[in-house]
Amino acid sequence: GGHWDAGDYSKYTSNSAELIHYLMFTADSIPGANKLDNLGLPESGDGLIDIMQEAKLEADYLSKLQDADCGFYFIVYPKTRESEIDVAPDHGDQQVVWPKNTSATAASVGALAQIASSPAFKAAYPAQAAAYLDKAKLGWQFLLNALAKYGKLGAYQKVTFYGDEWNHDDELAFAAASLFVATGEAQYKQKLTEWFPNPSDPATF
């Protein structure tokens, strides 16, 4: 499962989370998108909604990247070379995961909470939606533990440029916003307003 990088077969966690966001935003915001079964996918024509199937495929993959401590790994990558461009991983190199960090974890939390709160997805896959929300909440606790131990700046570790544009600040806000939408709980709103107090401020655009 999981979608590849554009130039090779590496699977960046932040990209997987972003794809889930795009798919679910489309399904929940564009009239009729959450009814299409003709997008030219292998699953098209099976009576199920294509966007939901693609989003579920990605969310199932993302869920597998959560470690026992509930953080999410940064990437799945070939063990002995920089990247695979000549063979798909199911016939290729042994794969390894790169270290967990707060930006990959927060992106995963946000994406899983978003798909869990989608009315269309909940109608199509209620059990999976509930499971994704549980995983998002566990990932959130990993983030809170890291921030409490190391501070907001100290908890972040850069692995590559993926997810590094604003350290983990944008992903943390995404995670808080998505969990607030999914649960309505004040704890998530409080963190969102703490971390992202003024969306109109060009300094935090």
Side-chain angles (χ1 to χ4, degrees):
H3 289 74
W4 317 118
D5 184 70
D8 55 57
Y9 290 106
S10 302
K11 294 189 283 189
Y12 290 87
T13 303
S14 60
N15 287 5
S16 292
E18 194 172 10
L19 178 60
I20 292 169
H21 166 70
Y22 293 149
L23 291 171
M24 297 319 303
F25 185 86
T26 299
D28 292 328
S29 302
I30 298 178
N34 60 14
K35 295 179 172 49
L36 297 174
D37 185 28
N38 61 351
L39 298 184
L41 307 176
E43 298 86 359
S44 295
D46 61 2
L48 301 174
I49 301 162
D50 282 355
I51 288 179
M52 299 300 165
Q53 289 179 284
E54 289 298 298
K56 181 181 179 298
L57 179 79
E58 199 70 18
D60 287 343
Y61 166 72
L62 195 62
S63 296
K64 294 176 188 177
L65 295 182
Q66 190 170 36
D67 195 15
D69 64 3
C70 301
F72 286 77
Y73 290 106
F74 179 81
I75 189 176
V76 175
Y77 213 64
K79 184 175 182 179
T80 58
R81 59 175 167 157
E82 183 176 353
S83 59
E84 292 169 297
I85 58 172
D86 53 345
V87 61
D90 56 343
H91 295 91
D93 297 17
Q94 184 178 5
Q95 303 288 301
V96 295
V97 288
W98 281 22
K100 294 160 283 187
N101 73 352
T102 49
S103 65
T105 297
S108 301
V109 168
L112 291 176
Q114 182 179 3
I115 193 171
S117 72
S118 162
F121 191 86
K122 286 193 292 186
Y125 301 102
Q128 287 87 348
Y132 297 153
L133 183 56
D134 288 342
K135 285 184 166 291
K137 289 179 177 179
L138 291 171
W140 177 261
Q141 191 57 54
F142 173 92
L143 294 169
L144 293 184
N145 292 343
L147 296 172
K149 185 172 182 178
Y150 299 107
K152 191 161 181 276
L153 184 61
Y156 174 73
Q157 288 183 303
K158 178 180 177 180
V159 182
T160 74
F161 64 90
Y162 281 87
D164 185 55
E165 288 87 348
W166 298 277
N167 296 333
H168 54 190
D169 291 357
D170 50 330
E171 289 91 352
L172 288 172
F174 175 45
S178 293
L179 278 167
F180 179 57
V181 170
T183 68
E185 294 180 16
Q187 60 169 317
Y188 304 119
K189 181 180 179 183
Q190 186 274 324
K191 281 298 183 185
L192 176 59
T193 54
E194 174 188 335
W195 292 335
F196 194 36
N198 180 12
S200 299
D201 182 356
T204 56
F205 174 78

